[in-house]
Amino acid sequence: MSSASNAFPAQKSMTVKKKWTVIPAFLALAAAATLLSAYSGASSSQGLRVEQPVKFVHAPHVAKAGMNCLYCHSAANKAPDPGNASVSTCMGCHVIVKPQAPEIKKVAAFYAKGQAIPWNRVHKVPDYVQFPHMRHVNAGVTCQTCHGQIQKQGAQGPDTNYVPVQQVNSLNMGWCINCHVQGYKPAEGARLAGMPVTPELLAAPPKKARYDCATCHY
């Protein structure tokens, strides 16, 4: 009896130790799975199309009217979030330009009520990721590098042929790190933006950036 009773605490101790060795292994596995998902884009919303309260199309504004992205997204070069055009900015033109168009009437209704247009967000990174627009814009990265050839959205037909904005790139960690490691190519950014690809841009070296954890997770 004495021998058996002495062995039981030892067995119990070994069982507890085994349980505690399993927990770190489980946490490591969970962390690895999370990292792989973020890096590979398994949880990406690439290709997502989002409907909007006003059927806005970029092509007539950018490709046709020649408007700069900063005209509407005025905070893109000075804040983490680029912001959207205020309804008064829209009506600054559309009091005269196509005021009877159905979608412009929607904008005018928001303006008359003193309300902002409740745009639905398309591109979004997780809350634990920091993406400061101003650092990228001020480094010369074109909007189309991340957002695709947004200037062509709606170019598939007349102004009334609404095509929702979609998330063109994965925006996952691997996609971001690849750009930081391989470097942003000015010539490719210009091509996507529909700008002239000059010999100077072709000769320009890729712009690389830090890619340690604290660069985006802070």
mmCIF file of all heavy atoms in Angstrom, residues 40-94:
data_model
loop_
_atom_site.group_PDB
_atom_site.id
_atom_site.type_symbol
_atom_site.label_atom_id
_atom_site.label_comp_id
_atom_site.label_asym_id
_atom_site.label_seq_id
_atom_site.Cartn_x
_atom_site.Cartn_y
_atom_site.Cartn_z
ATOM 1 N N SER A 40 -0.133 34.483 -46.448
ATOM 2 C CA SER A 40 -0.524 33.876 -47.715
ATOM 3 C C SER A 40 -1.776 34.487 -48.316
ATOM 4 O O SER A 40 -2.083 34.296 -49.482
ATOM 5 C CB SER A 40 -0.761 32.376 -47.524
ATOM 6 O OG SER A 40 -1.883 32.161 -46.686
ATOM 7 N N GLY A 41 -2.533 35.208 -47.502
ATOM 8 C CA GLY A 41 -3.758 35.810 -48.008
ATOM 9 C C GLY A 41 -4.960 34.891 -47.919
ATOM 10 O O GLY A 41 -5.958 35.097 -48.603
ATOM 11 N N ALA A 42 -4.875 33.876 -47.040
ATOM 12 C CA ALA A 42 -5.994 32.942 -46.905
ATOM 13 C C ALA A 42 -7.261 33.644 -46.442
ATOM 14 O O ALA A 42 -8.362 33.205 -46.722
ATOM 15 C CB ALA A 42 -5.609 31.831 -45.916
ATOM 16 N N SER A 43 -7.084 34.747 -45.706
ATOM 17 C CA SER A 43 -8.243 35.473 -45.200
ATOM 18 C C SER A 43 -8.451 36.797 -45.939
ATOM 19 O O SER A 43 -9.114 37.695 -45.445
ATOM 20 C CB SER A 43 -8.065 35.748 -43.694
ATOM 21 O OG SER A 43 -6.876 36.493 -43.463
ATOM 22 N N SER A 44 -7.865 36.922 -47.113
ATOM 23 C CA SER A 44 -7.939 38.164 -47.870
ATOM 24 C C SER A 44 -9.312 38.382 -48.480
ATOM 25 O O SER A 44 -10.044 37.441 -48.778
ATOM 26 C CB SER A 44 -6.882 38.152 -48.987
ATOM 27 O OG SER A 44 -7.078 39.231 -49.868
ATOM 28 N N SER A 45 -9.647 39.672 -48.653
ATOM 29 C CA SER A 45 -10.907 40.040 -49.315
ATOM 30 C C SER A 45 -10.652 40.464 -50.764
ATOM 31 O O SER A 45 -11.421 41.236 -51.326
ATOM 32 C CB SER A 45 -11.587 41.177 -48.534
ATOM 33 O OG SER A 45 -11.932 40.762 -47.245
ATOM 34 N N GLN A 46 -9.584 39.987 -51.339
ATOM 35 C CA GLN A 46 -9.246 40.340 -52.718
ATOM 36 C C GLN A 46 -10.389 39.983 -53.655
ATOM 37 O O GLN A 46 -10.962 38.889 -53.585
ATOM 38 C CB GLN A 46 -7.978 39.609 -53.158
ATOM 39 C CG GLN A 46 -7.469 40.025 -54.535
ATOM 40 C CD GLN A 46 -6.131 39.383 -54.859
ATOM 41 O OE1 GLN A 46 -5.693 38.457 -54.192
ATOM 42 N NE2 GLN A 46 -5.466 39.885 -55.884
ATOM 43 N N GLY A 47 -10.759 40.926 -54.517
ATOM 44 C CA GLY A 47 -11.860 40.708 -55.443
ATOM 45 C C GLY A 47 -13.201 41.167 -54.912
ATOM 46 O O GLY A 47 -14.192 41.175 -55.649
ATOM 47 N N LEU A 48 -13.238 41.575 -53.646
ATOM 48 C CA LEU A 48 -14.493 42.024 -53.043
ATOM 49 C C LEU A 48 -15.009 43.282 -53.728
ATOM 50 O O LEU A 48 -14.265 44.237 -53.944
ATOM 51 C CB LEU A 48 -14.268 42.313 -51.552
ATOM 52 C CG LEU A 48 -15.452 42.921 -50.788
ATOM 53 C CD1 LEU A 48 -16.571 41.893 -50.626
ATOM 54 C CD2 LEU A 48 -14.996 43.428 -49.419
ATOM 55 N N ARG A 49 -16.284 43.292 -54.091
ATOM 56 C CA ARG A 49 -16.935 44.474 -54.657
ATOM 57 C C ARG A 49 -17.934 44.998 -53.637
ATOM 58 O O ARG A 49 -18.691 44.222 -53.058
ATOM 59 C CB ARG A 49 -17.660 44.135 -55.967
ATOM 60 C CG ARG A 49 -16.719 43.796 -57.129
ATOM 61 C CD ARG A 49 -17.516 43.458 -58.383
ATOM 62 N NE ARG A 49 -16.656 43.095 -59.497
ATOM 63 C CZ ARG A 49 -16.188 43.955 -60.396
ATOM 64 N NH1 ARG A 49 -16.508 45.237 -60.304
ATOM 65 N NH2 ARG A 49 -15.423 43.554 -61.375
ATOM 66 N N VAL A 50 -17.934 46.297 -53.430
ATOM 67 C CA VAL A 50 -18.795 46.893 -52.415
ATOM 68 C C VAL A 50 -19.728 47.917 -53.042
ATOM 69 O O VAL A 50 -19.289 48.850 -53.724
ATOM 70 C CB VAL A 50 -17.950 47.579 -51.312
ATOM 71 C CG1 VAL A 50 -18.850 48.209 -50.258
ATOM 72 C CG2 VAL A 50 -17.014 46.562 -50.659
ATOM 73 N N GLU A 51 -21.013 47.735 -52.829
ATOM 74 C CA GLU A 51 -22.006 48.677 -53.341
ATOM 75 C C GLU A 51 -21.975 49.966 -52.519
ATOM 76 O O GLU A 51 -21.626 49.952 -51.337
ATOM 77 C CB GLU A 51 -23.408 48.062 -53.288
ATOM 78 C CG GLU A 51 -23.613 46.880 -54.229
ATOM 79 C CD GLU A 51 -23.593 47.304 -55.694
ATOM 80 O OE1 GLU A 51 -23.818 48.509 -55.973
ATOM 81 O OE2 GLU A 51 -23.370 46.433 -56.553
ATOM 82 N N GLN A 52 -22.340 51.075 -53.140
ATOM 83 C CA GLN A 52 -22.288 52.374 -52.487
ATOM 84 C C GLN A 52 -23.659 53.057 -52.539
ATOM 85 O O GLN A 52 -24.479 52.763 -53.412
ATOM 86 C CB GLN A 52 -21.241 53.260 -53.169
ATOM 87 C CG GLN A 52 -19.829 52.703 -53.146
ATOM 88 C CD GLN A 52 -19.240 52.596 -51.752
ATOM 89 O OE1 GLN A 52 -19.751 53.178 -50.803
ATOM 90 N NE2 GLN A 52 -18.149 51.843 -51.632
ATOM 91 N N PRO A 53 -23.916 53.972 -51.612
ATOM 92 C CA PRO A 53 -25.201 54.688 -51.605
ATOM 93 C C PRO A 53 -25.382 55.599 -52.817
ATOM 94 O O PRO A 53 -26.503 55.907 -53.206
ATOM 95 C CB PRO A 53 -25.145 55.501 -50.311
ATOM 96 C CG PRO A 53 -23.691 55.623 -50.004
ATOM 97 C CD PRO A 53 -23.072 54.350 -50.475
ATOM 98 N N VAL A 54 -24.254 56.032 -53.392
ATOM 99 C CA VAL A 54 -24.273 56.809 -54.630
ATOM 100 C C VAL A 54 -23.388 56.064 -55.623
ATOM 101 O O VAL A 54 -22.264 55.679 -55.301
ATOM 102 C CB VAL A 54 -23.740 58.243 -54.420
ATOM 103 C CG1 VAL A 54 -23.652 58.984 -55.749
ATOM 104 C CG2 VAL A 54 -24.625 59.007 -53.444
ATOM 105 N N LYS A 55 -23.898 55.854 -56.828
ATOM 106 C CA LYS A 55 -23.154 55.077 -57.823
ATOM 107 C C LYS A 55 -22.059 55.927 -58.467
ATOM 108 O O LYS A 55 -22.126 56.307 -59.637
ATOM 109 C CB LYS A 55 -24.122 54.515 -58.869
ATOM 110 C CG LYS A 55 -25.100 53.499 -58.280
ATOM 111 C CD LYS A 55 -26.037 52.940 -59.335
ATOM 112 C CE LYS A 55 -26.973 51.899 -58.735
ATOM 113 N NZ LYS A 55 -27.906 51.342 -59.721
ATOM 114 N N PHE A 56 -21.042 56.172 -57.686
ATOM 115 C CA PHE A 56 -19.916 56.990 -58.138
ATOM 116 C C PHE A 56 -18.977 56.151 -59.004
ATOM 117 O O PHE A 56 -18.671 55.005 -58.671
ATOM 118 C CB PHE A 56 -19.153 57.531 -56.932
ATOM 119 C CG PHE A 56 -17.947 58.347 -57.296
ATOM 120 C CD1 PHE A 56 -18.065 59.709 -57.531
ATOM 121 C CD2 PHE A 56 -16.696 57.766 -57.408
ATOM 122 C CE1 PHE A 56 -16.959 60.474 -57.872
ATOM 123 C CE2 PHE A 56 -15.589 58.514 -57.749
ATOM 124 C CZ PHE A 56 -15.718 59.869 -57.977
ATOM 125 N N VAL A 57 -18.515 56.727 -60.112
ATOM 126 C CA VAL A 57 -17.515 56.069 -60.952
ATOM 127 C C VAL A 57 -16.315 57.004 -61.116
ATOM 128 O O VAL A 57 -16.467 58.204 -61.314
ATOM 129 C CB VAL A 57 -18.088 55.670 -62.336
ATOM 130 C CG1 VAL A 57 -19.010 54.467 -62.204
ATOM 131 C CG2 VAL A 57 -18.813 56.815 -62.991
ATOM 132 N N HIS A 58 -15.126 56.427 -61.028
ATOM 133 C CA HIS A 58 -13.907 57.233 -61.071
ATOM 134 C C HIS A 58 -13.525 57.693 -62.479
ATOM 135 O O HIS A 58 -12.947 58.763 -62.646
ATOM 136 C CB HIS A 58 -12.741 56.448 -60.469
ATOM 137 C CG HIS A 58 -12.762 56.381 -58.982
ATOM 138 N ND1 HIS A 58 -13.579 55.529 -58.275
ATOM 139 C CD2 HIS A 58 -12.045 57.088 -58.046
ATOM 140 C CE1 HIS A 58 -13.372 55.687 -56.978
ATOM 141 N NE2 HIS A 58 -12.459 56.618 -56.807
ATOM 142 N N ALA A 59 -13.810 56.861 -63.484
ATOM 143 C CA ALA A 59 -13.326 57.146 -64.838
ATOM 144 C C ALA A 59 -13.667 58.550 -65.348
ATOM 145 O O ALA A 59 -12.777 59.260 -65.839
ATOM 146 C CB ALA A 59 -13.823 56.086 -65.818
ATOM 147 N N PRO A 60 -14.913 59.008 -65.245
ATOM 148 C CA PRO A 60 -15.216 60.351 -65.760
ATOM 149 C C PRO A 60 -14.474 61.457 -65.007
ATOM 150 O O PRO A 60 -14.152 62.498 -65.586
ATOM 151 C CB PRO A 60 -16.735 60.480 -65.552
ATOM 152 C CG PRO A 60 -17.223 59.090 -65.415
ATOM 153 C CD PRO A 60 -16.126 58.339 -64.752
ATOM 154 N N HIS A 61 -14.200 61.216 -63.736
ATOM 155 C CA HIS A 61 -13.550 62.233 -62.921
ATOM 156 C C HIS A 61 -12.028 62.254 -63.130
ATOM 157 O O HIS A 61 -11.423 63.316 -63.263
ATOM 158 C CB HIS A 61 -13.859 62.006 -61.437
ATOM 159 C CG HIS A 61 -15.312 62.115 -61.099
ATOM 160 N ND1 HIS A 61 -16.198 61.078 -61.313
ATOM 161 C CD2 HIS A 61 -16.036 63.140 -60.571
ATOM 162 C CE1 HIS A 61 -17.409 61.453 -60.929
ATOM 163 N NE2 HIS A 61 -17.345 62.693 -60.485
ATOM 164 N N VAL A 62 -11.424 61.055 -63.158
ATOM 165 C CA VAL A 62 -9.954 60.968 -63.250
ATOM 166 C C VAL A 62 -9.481 60.956 -64.699
ATOM 167 O O VAL A 62 -8.686 61.807 -65.116
ATOM 168 C CB VAL A 62 -9.444 59.710 -62.512
ATOM 169 C CG1 VAL A 62 -7.912 59.645 -62.563
ATOM 170 C CG2 VAL A 62 -9.929 59.697 -61.071
ATOM 171 N N ALA A 63 -9.955 59.971 -65.463
ATOM 172 C CA ALA A 63 -9.477 59.810 -66.841
ATOM 173 C C ALA A 63 -10.004 60.890 -67.776
ATOM 174 O O ALA A 63 -9.303 61.333 -68.687
ATOM 175 C CB ALA A 63 -9.862 58.421 -67.353
ATOM 176 N N LYS A 64 -11.242 61.323 -67.554
ATOM 177 C CA LYS A 64 -11.858 62.281 -68.461
ATOM 178 C C LYS A 64 -11.638 63.730 -68.019
ATOM 179 O O LYS A 64 -11.179 64.571 -68.801
ATOM 180 C CB LYS A 64 -13.358 61.991 -68.568
ATOM 181 C CG LYS A 64 -14.090 62.805 -69.611
ATOM 182 C CD LYS A 64 -15.551 62.353 -69.696
ATOM 183 C CE LYS A 64 -16.327 63.162 -70.724
ATOM 184 N NZ LYS A 64 -17.750 62.733 -70.792
ATOM 185 N N ALA A 65 -11.932 64.025 -66.743
ATOM 186 C CA ALA A 65 -11.805 65.396 -66.246
ATOM 187 C C ALA A 65 -10.397 65.707 -65.744
ATOM 188 O O ALA A 65 -10.061 66.877 -65.516
ATOM 189 C CB ALA A 65 -12.823 65.645 -65.121
ATOM 190 N N GLY A 66 -9.573 64.673 -65.575
ATOM 191 C CA GLY A 66 -8.183 64.888 -65.160
ATOM 192 C C GLY A 66 -8.017 65.278 -63.706
ATOM 193 O O GLY A 66 -7.009 65.898 -63.330
ATOM 194 N N MET A 67 -8.973 64.918 -62.874
ATOM 195 C CA MET A 67 -8.884 65.277 -61.454
ATOM 196 C C MET A 67 -7.831 64.438 -60.741
ATOM 197 O O MET A 67 -7.697 63.246 -60.984
ATOM 198 C CB MET A 67 -10.251 65.093 -60.785
ATOM 199 C CG MET A 67 -11.307 66.065 -61.272
ATOM 200 S SD MET A 67 -12.968 65.683 -60.634
ATOM 201 C CE MET A 67 -12.704 65.881 -58.867
ATOM 202 N N ASN A 68 -7.083 65.080 -59.853
ATOM 203 C CA ASN A 68 -6.088 64.394 -59.044
ATOM 204 C C ASN A 68 -6.773 63.688 -57.879
ATOM 205 O O ASN A 68 -7.767 64.183 -57.344
ATOM 206 C CB ASN A 68 -5.069 65.411 -58.513
ATOM 207 C CG ASN A 68 -3.893 64.742 -57.833
ATOM 208 O OD1 ASN A 68 -4.001 64.210 -56.737
ATOM 209 N ND2 ASN A 68 -2.738 64.790 -58.482
ATOM 210 N N CYS A 69 -6.242 62.543 -57.486
ATOM 211 C CA CYS A 69 -6.841 61.786 -56.373
ATOM 212 C C CYS A 69 -6.970 62.634 -55.110
ATOM 213 O O CYS A 69 -7.929 62.493 -54.344
ATOM 214 C CB CYS A 69 -6.006 60.545 -56.063
ATOM 215 S SG CYS A 69 -5.867 59.380 -57.443
ATOM 216 N N LEU A 70 -5.996 63.524 -54.894
ATOM 217 C CA LEU A 70 -5.993 64.345 -53.683
ATOM 218 C C LEU A 70 -7.117 65.380 -53.659
ATOM 219 O O LEU A 70 -7.404 65.951 -52.608
ATOM 220 C CB LEU A 70 -4.641 65.066 -53.527
ATOM 221 C CG LEU A 70 -3.451 64.179 -53.155
ATOM 222 C CD1 LEU A 70 -2.160 64.993 -53.201
ATOM 223 C CD2 LEU A 70 -3.636 63.578 -51.771
ATOM 224 N N TYR A 71 -7.754 65.606 -54.792
ATOM 225 C CA TYR A 71 -8.849 66.567 -54.812
ATOM 226 C C TYR A 71 -9.995 66.073 -53.934
ATOM 227 O O TYR A 71 -10.640 66.850 -53.224
ATOM 228 C CB TYR A 71 -9.345 66.797 -56.243
ATOM 229 C CG TYR A 71 -10.360 67.914 -56.352
ATOM 230 C CD1 TYR A 71 -9.944 69.245 -56.437
ATOM 231 C CD2 TYR A 71 -11.732 67.646 -56.341
ATOM 232 C CE1 TYR A 71 -10.871 70.281 -56.509
ATOM 233 C CE2 TYR A 71 -12.660 68.677 -56.424
ATOM 234 C CZ TYR A 71 -12.226 69.991 -56.503
ATOM 235 O OH TYR A 71 -13.139 71.003 -56.566
ATOM 236 N N CYS A 72 -10.249 64.775 -53.989
ATOM 237 C CA CYS A 72 -11.309 64.190 -53.170
ATOM 238 C C CYS A 72 -10.758 63.549 -51.895
ATOM 239 O O CYS A 72 -11.339 63.689 -50.821
ATOM 240 C CB CYS A 72 -12.077 63.139 -53.965
ATOM 241 S SG CYS A 72 -13.007 63.822 -55.363
ATOM 242 N N HIS A 73 -9.641 62.843 -52.030
ATOM 243 C CA HIS A 73 -9.021 62.184 -50.868
ATOM 244 C C HIS A 73 -7.904 63.095 -50.349
ATOM 245 O O HIS A 73 -6.722 62.766 -50.410
ATOM 246 C CB HIS A 73 -8.490 60.816 -51.273
ATOM 247 C CG HIS A 73 -9.543 59.927 -51.874
ATOM 248 N ND1 HIS A 73 -10.523 59.294 -51.123
ATOM 249 C CD2 HIS A 73 -9.789 59.576 -53.168
ATOM 250 C CE1 HIS A 73 -11.312 58.591 -51.921
ATOM 251 N NE2 HIS A 73 -10.899 58.745 -53.172
ATOM 252 N N SER A 74 -8.324 64.235 -49.831
ATOM 253 C CA SER A 74 -7.389 65.331 -49.541
ATOM 254 C C SER A 74 -6.440 65.071 -48.376
ATOM 255 O O SER A 74 -5.449 65.786 -48.215
ATOM 256 C CB SER A 74 -8.173 66.623 -49.259
ATOM 257 O OG SER A 74 -9.077 66.428 -48.185
ATOM 258 N N ALA A 75 -6.711 64.051 -47.559
ATOM 259 C CA ALA A 75 -5.838 63.771 -46.410
ATOM 260 C C ALA A 75 -4.808 62.690 -46.705
ATOM 261 O O ALA A 75 -4.009 62.354 -45.844
ATOM 262 C CB ALA A 75 -6.682 63.366 -45.205
ATOM 263 N N ALA A 76 -4.816 62.157 -47.925
ATOM 264 C CA ALA A 76 -3.947 61.021 -48.246
ATOM 265 C C ALA A 76 -2.467 61.323 -48.084
ATOM 266 O O ALA A 76 -1.680 60.423 -47.794
ATOM 267 C CB ALA A 76 -4.222 60.540 -49.670
ATOM 268 N N ASN A 77 -2.068 62.578 -48.266
ATOM 269 C CA ASN A 77 -0.646 62.930 -48.155
ATOM 270 C C ASN A 77 -0.289 63.558 -46.808
ATOM 271 O O ASN A 77 0.845 64.006 -46.616
ATOM 272 C CB ASN A 77 -0.236 63.881 -49.282
ATOM 273 C CG ASN A 77 -0.982 65.199 -49.230
ATOM 274 O OD1 ASN A 77 -2.033 65.316 -48.574
ATOM 275 N ND2 ASN A 77 -0.467 66.210 -49.922
ATOM 276 N N LYS A 78 -1.240 63.561 -45.871
ATOM 277 C CA LYS A 78 -0.935 64.169 -44.567
ATOM 278 C C LYS A 78 -1.553 63.442 -43.374
ATOM 279 O O LYS A 78 -1.424 63.901 -42.246
ATOM 280 C CB LYS A 78 -1.387 65.627 -44.560
ATOM 281 C CG LYS A 78 -2.837 65.856 -44.980
ATOM 282 C CD LYS A 78 -3.112 67.336 -45.205
ATOM 283 C CE LYS A 78 -4.524 67.548 -45.744
ATOM 284 N NZ LYS A 78 -4.779 68.968 -46.102
ATOM 285 N N ALA A 79 -2.203 62.320 -43.611
ATOM 286 C CA ALA A 79 -2.826 61.582 -42.513
ATOM 287 C C ALA A 79 -2.834 60.090 -42.830
ATOM 288 O O ALA A 79 -2.729 59.700 -43.997
ATOM 289 C CB ALA A 79 -4.260 62.075 -42.288
ATOM 290 N N PRO A 80 -2.973 59.249 -41.814
ATOM 291 C CA PRO A 80 -3.040 57.801 -42.070
ATOM 292 C C PRO A 80 -4.209 57.410 -42.956
ATOM 293 O O PRO A 80 -4.080 56.550 -43.827
ATOM 294 C CB PRO A 80 -3.192 57.209 -40.659
ATOM 295 C CG PRO A 80 -2.576 58.224 -39.754
ATOM 296 C CD PRO A 80 -2.924 59.553 -40.364
ATOM 297 N N ASP A 81 -5.369 58.030 -42.755
ATOM 298 C CA ASP A 81 -6.551 57.722 -43.559
ATOM 299 C C ASP A 81 -6.715 58.797 -44.631
ATOM 300 O O ASP A 81 -6.618 59.988 -44.334
ATOM 301 C CB ASP A 81 -7.800 57.661 -42.677
ATOM 302 C CG ASP A 81 -8.993 57.077 -43.421
ATOM 303 O OD1 ASP A 81 -9.678 57.826 -44.138
ATOM 304 O OD2 ASP A 81 -9.228 55.869 -43.275
ATOM 305 N N PRO A 82 -6.983 58.402 -45.877
ATOM 306 C CA PRO A 82 -7.061 59.390 -46.962
ATOM 307 C C PRO A 82 -8.301 60.266 -46.933
ATOM 308 O O PRO A 82 -8.311 61.359 -47.484
ATOM 309 C CB PRO A 82 -7.038 58.528 -48.224
ATOM 310 C CG PRO A 82 -7.643 57.236 -47.794
ATOM 311 C CD PRO A 82 -7.189 57.033 -46.370
ATOM 312 N N GLY A 83 -9.374 59.774 -46.286
ATOM 313 C CA GLY A 83 -10.612 60.532 -46.255
ATOM 314 C C GLY A 83 -11.343 60.489 -47.585
ATOM 315 O O GLY A 83 -10.805 60.033 -48.598
ATOM 316 N N ASN A 84 -12.582 60.955 -47.569
ATOM 317 C CA ASN A 84 -13.389 61.042 -48.789
ATOM 318 C C ASN A 84 -13.809 62.487 -49.025
ATOM 319 O O ASN A 84 -13.742 63.319 -48.112
ATOM 320 C CB ASN A 84 -14.639 60.165 -48.672
ATOM 321 C CG ASN A 84 -14.337 58.699 -48.868
ATOM 322 O OD1 ASN A 84 -13.608 58.325 -49.786
ATOM 323 N ND2 ASN A 84 -14.879 57.845 -48.010
ATOM 324 N N ALA A 85 -14.248 62.767 -50.226
ATOM 325 C CA ALA A 85 -14.693 64.123 -50.550
ATOM 326 C C ALA A 85 -15.914 64.487 -49.711
ATOM 327 O O ALA A 85 -16.804 63.667 -49.502
ATOM 328 C CB ALA A 85 -15.043 64.212 -52.030
ATOM 329 N N SER A 86 -15.935 65.710 -49.232
ATOM 330 C CA SER A 86 -17.123 66.193 -48.535
ATOM 331 C C SER A 86 -18.221 66.411 -49.566
ATOM 332 O O SER A 86 -17.950 66.613 -50.756
ATOM 333 C CB SER A 86 -16.817 67.503 -47.801
ATOM 334 O OG SER A 86 -16.545 68.533 -48.733
ATOM 335 N N VAL A 87 -19.464 66.363 -49.114
ATOM 336 C CA VAL A 87 -20.579 66.538 -50.044
ATOM 337 C C VAL A 87 -20.560 67.933 -50.666
ATOM 338 O O VAL A 87 -20.978 68.124 -51.810
ATOM 339 C CB VAL A 87 -21.918 66.245 -49.335
ATOM 340 C CG1 VAL A 87 -22.248 67.301 -48.307
ATOM 341 C CG2 VAL A 87 -23.055 66.094 -50.334
ATOM 342 N N SER A 88 -20.010 68.894 -49.941
ATOM 343 C CA SER A 88 -19.908 70.255 -50.487
ATOM 344 C C SER A 88 -18.878 70.308 -51.617
ATOM 345 O O SER A 88 -19.027 71.076 -52.577
ATOM 346 C CB SER A 88 -19.542 71.257 -49.397
ATOM 347 O OG SER A 88 -18.316 70.916 -48.787
ATOM 348 N N THR A 89 -17.834 69.476 -51.521
ATOM 349 C CA THR A 89 -16.844 69.393 -52.605
ATOM 350 C C THR A 89 -17.507 68.851 -53.868
ATOM 351 O O THR A 89 -17.284 69.358 -54.976
ATOM 352 C CB THR A 89 -15.668 68.487 -52.212
ATOM 353 O OG1 THR A 89 -15.007 69.036 -51.060
ATOM 354 C CG2 THR A 89 -14.661 68.349 -53.346
ATOM 355 N N CYS A 90 -18.326 67.830 -53.702
ATOM 356 C CA CYS A 90 -19.044 67.257 -54.845
ATOM 357 C C CYS A 90 -19.960 68.293 -55.491
ATOM 358 O O CYS A 90 -19.974 68.467 -56.710
ATOM 359 C CB CYS A 90 -19.886 66.057 -54.406
ATOM 360 S SG CYS A 90 -18.943 64.699 -53.665
ATOM 361 N N MET A 91 -20.713 68.999 -54.647
ATOM 362 C CA MET A 91 -21.682 69.952 -55.170
ATOM 363 C C MET A 91 -21.020 71.210 -55.719
ATOM 364 O O MET A 91 -21.640 71.955 -56.475
ATOM 365 C CB MET A 91 -22.690 70.324 -54.078
ATOM 366 C CG MET A 91 -23.626 69.178 -53.694
ATOM 367 S SD MET A 91 -24.472 68.435 -55.117
ATOM 368 C CE MET A 91 -25.467 69.832 -55.694
ATOM 369 N N GLY A 92 -19.753 71.419 -55.369
ATOM 370 C CA GLY A 92 -19.027 72.549 -55.928
ATOM 371 C C GLY A 92 -18.982 72.484 -57.441
ATOM 372 O O GLY A 92 -18.975 73.514 -58.126
ATOM 373 N N CYS A 93 -18.970 71.258 -57.969
ATOM 374 C CA CYS A 93 -18.996 71.069 -59.429
ATOM 375 C C CYS A 93 -20.409 70.765 -59.919
ATOM 376 O O CYS A 93 -20.850 71.270 -60.954
ATOM 377 C CB CYS A 93 -18.078 69.921 -59.831
ATOM 378 S SG CYS A 93 -16.310 70.252 -59.596
ATOM 379 N N HIS A 94 -21.103 69.906 -59.161
ATOM 380 C CA HIS A 94 -22.348 69.354 -59.688
ATOM 381 C C HIS A 94 -23.573 70.251 -59.516
ATOM 382 O O HIS A 94 -24.677 69.846 -59.912
ATOM 383 C CB HIS A 94 -22.588 67.967 -59.086
ATOM 384 C CG HIS A 94 -21.669 66.929 -59.647
ATOM 385 N ND1 HIS A 94 -21.743 66.516 -60.966
ATOM 386 C CD2 HIS A 94 -20.631 66.237 -59.096
ATOM 387 C CE1 HIS A 94 -20.806 65.606 -61.193
ATOM 388 N NE2 HIS A 94 -20.116 65.412 -60.076
#
